[in-house]
């Protein structure tokens, strides 16, 4: 029962991966790896929260649904960039580097970043913007009313 549609899921995944590449690629950013993974997860969660807009739990859940698979791909991208592009090794054991990066990525990007990014935007729409869907409900009502009127005119 996934609440996120495929288009939103793929765009959120793409946002997380692009943000990861942008913040991991420069050689000066290697010491800032942990905040960059967190920020990439939050960016994907913000997008999902923007698409969902409400309610809060759904924004949080959708952020989690998008960010967990994205964090696995994020870890693969980070390991490849650190290993081949930056030539980074941890005590000459590549398995240790891979395990550390996967754990950090899942914890920060998947479990913390994405859900709290979605929750932050859900809170924004709930308390700051005060949009609880009345505008969309009114538009749907008008569309249904117009369709009903058109049907009546066609029947006459």
């Amino acid at each position: 029962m996934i609440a996120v549609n495929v288009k939103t899921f793929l765009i959120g995944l793409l946002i997380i991966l692009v943000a990861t590449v942008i913040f991991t690629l420069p050689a000066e950013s290697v010491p800032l790896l942990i905040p960059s993974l967190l920020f990439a997860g939050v960016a994907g969660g913000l997008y999902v929260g923007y698409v969902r807009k409400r309610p809060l739990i759904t924004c949080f859940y959708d952020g989690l649904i998008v960010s967990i698979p994205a964090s696995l791909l994020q870890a693969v991208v980070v390991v490849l960039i650190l290993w081949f592009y930056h030539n980074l090794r941890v005590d000459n054991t590549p398995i240790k580097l891979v395990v550390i990066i996967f754990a950090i990525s899942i914890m920060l990007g998947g479990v913390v970043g994405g859900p709290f990014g979605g929750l932050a935007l859900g809170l924004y729409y709930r308390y700051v913007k005060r949009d609880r869907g009345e505008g969309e409900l009114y538009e749907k009502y008008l569309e249904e009313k117009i369709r009903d009127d058109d049907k009546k005119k066609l029947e006459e």
Side-chain angles (χ1 to χ4, degrees), residues 12-144:
L13 185 87
L14 185 67
I15 288 172
I16 291 173
L17 291 178
V18 167
T20 301
V21 169
I22 288 172
F23 291 114
T24 310
L25 209 50
E28 298 84 22
S29 68
V30 173
L32 298 173
L33 179 66
I34 291 175
S36 66
L37 293 176
L38 180 65
F39 179 75
V42 169
L46 286 174
Y47 173 74
V48 171
Y50 172 74
V51 170
R52 178 56 72 144
K53 292 189 173 108
R54 62 188 179 284
L56 296 176
I57 298 300
T58 307
C59 291
F60 184 84
Y61 176 71
D62 289 348
L64 184 68
I65 293 298
V66 169
S67 64
I68 290 292
S71 67
L72 296 173
L73 291 174
Q74 182 182 36
V76 170
V77 167
V78 169
V79 165
L80 293 175
I81 288 174
L82 291 179
W83 197 341
F84 293 110
Y85 188 71
H86 295 307
N87 200 19
L88 184 70
R89 308 280 195 282
V90 177
D91 298 334
N92 296 328
T93 57
I95 294 174
K96 190 174 183 181
L97 174 71
V98 170
V99 168
I100 288 171
I101 297 298
F102 267 85
I104 290 171
S105 178
I106 290 171
M107 286 188 296
L108 292 175
V111 177
V112 176
F116 285 107
L119 183 64
L121 220 56
L123 287 170
Y124 168 77
Y125 279 107
R126 171 80 180 203
Y127 294 110
V128 176
K129 195 159 181 184
R130 300 264 183 208
D131 177 26
R132 294 199 173 87
E134 292 89 2
E136 291 177 15
L137 287 173
Y138 183 69
E139 289 174 9
K140 285 182 184 178
Y141 173 75
L142 285 178
E143 288 176 8
E144 290 175 5

